């Protein structure tokens, strides 16, 4: 299992479970894990990229899994978010992204490894643009559409819109 992906997962978990600050925790985890420069760069991209687009990835995961994100165990959801980021926003080969996340699931949530495999394979069958189009078509308001596509809370989108009027 890739040490960069383990570090990224640990930081995502700490942000979710302990309200940790990724920008403070990630450098410590990279140093503690003695990651190479390349692995440190991968861990950084996976962590910050996944956090930056978490709202959008949750929408993709909901469609691919056929259930709301809040009905997926939080550790499994973190694994899926990391996988979605690799599949939709990086040049990581599909087989590597899916396999690494399934291996991580077998380690952390063995009962969910088949679920992780199925959801990520579904995510990999469509391009980023296709997912964006499908998600945008589901939203009923312009603010909701912008919110999910930009991965910002809807209240932020509304406030920005009001500030610009």
């Amino acid at each position: 299992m890739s040490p960069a992906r383990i570090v990224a997962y640990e930081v995502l978990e700490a942000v979710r479970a302990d309200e940790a600050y990724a920008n403070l925790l990630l450098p410590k985890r990279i140093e503690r894990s003695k990651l190479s420069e390349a692995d440190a760069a991968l861990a950084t991209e996976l962590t910050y990229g996944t956090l930056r687009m978490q709202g959008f990835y949750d929408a993709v995961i909901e469609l691919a899994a056929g259930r709301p994100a809040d009905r997926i165990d939080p550790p499994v959801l973190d694994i899926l978010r990391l996988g979605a980021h690799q599949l939709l926003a990086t040049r990581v080969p599909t087989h590597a992204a899916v396999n690494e996340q399934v291996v991580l699931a077998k380690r952390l949530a063995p009962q969910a490894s088949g679920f992780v495999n199925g959801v990520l394979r579904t995510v990999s069958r469509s391009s980023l643009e296709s997912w964006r189009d499908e998600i945008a078509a589901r939203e009923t308001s312009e603010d909701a559409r912008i919110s999910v596509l930009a991965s910002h809370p809807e209240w932020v989108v509304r406030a920005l819109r009001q500030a610009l009027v």
Side-chain angles (χ1 to χ4, degrees):
M1 187 167 12
S2 161
R5 288 177 177 88
I6 293 169
V7 167
Y9 173 81
E10 289 173 349
V11 174
L12 290 180
E13 179 184 42
V15 168
R16 173 187 45 78
D18 303 326
E19 297 182 8
Y21 291 97
N23 64 318
L24 300 177
L25 184 57
L26 181 61
K28 292 177 185 175
R29 293 289 170 97
I30 288 172
E31 185 178 333
R32 187 181 76 193
S33 298
K34 297 181 179 10
L35 296 183
S36 68
E37 193 173 312
D39 279 345
L42 178 60
T44 300
E45 169 57 33
L46 294 178
T47 302
Y48 293 145
T50 300
L51 288 170
R52 181 174 44 252
M53 293 304 293
Q54 181 175 311
F56 175 72
Y57 295 147
D58 284 359
V60 170
I61 291 164
E62 287 179 356
L63 286 174
R67 68 177 79 158
D70 63 3
R71 294 207 43 233
I72 299 172
D73 289 339
V76 175
L77 186 56
D78 287 340
I79 292 168
L80 290 170
R81 288 169 175 155
L82 276 169
H85 180 66
Q86 291 173 74
L87 292 168
L88 299 175
T90 71
R91 293 181 294 174
V92 172
T94 299
H95 69 278
V98 173
N99 182 61
E100 287 285 336
Q101 296 314 114
V102 169
V103 169
L104 185 59
K106 285 180 181 177
R107 177 177 164 192
L108 300 171
Q111 74 286 358
S113 61
F115 175 71
V116 167
N117 184 53
V119 170
L120 293 179
R121 295 246 176 248
T122 300
V123 170
S124 74
R125 288 189 197 109
S126 297
S127 68
L128 173 62
E129 293 75 25
S130 296
W131 283 114
R132 288 178 61 82
D133 291 345
E134 186 170 349
I135 289 167
R138 292 178 44 208
E139 298 304 329
T140 56
S141 74
E142 183 66 10
D143 287 350
R145 186 183 68 74
I146 292 170
S147 170
V148 73
L149 294 178
S151 202
H152 292 306
E154 197 169 335
W155 71 267
V156 169
V157 173
R158 277 193 307 274
L160 184 58
R161 184 184 301 280
Q162 291 170 354
L164 294 173
V165 175

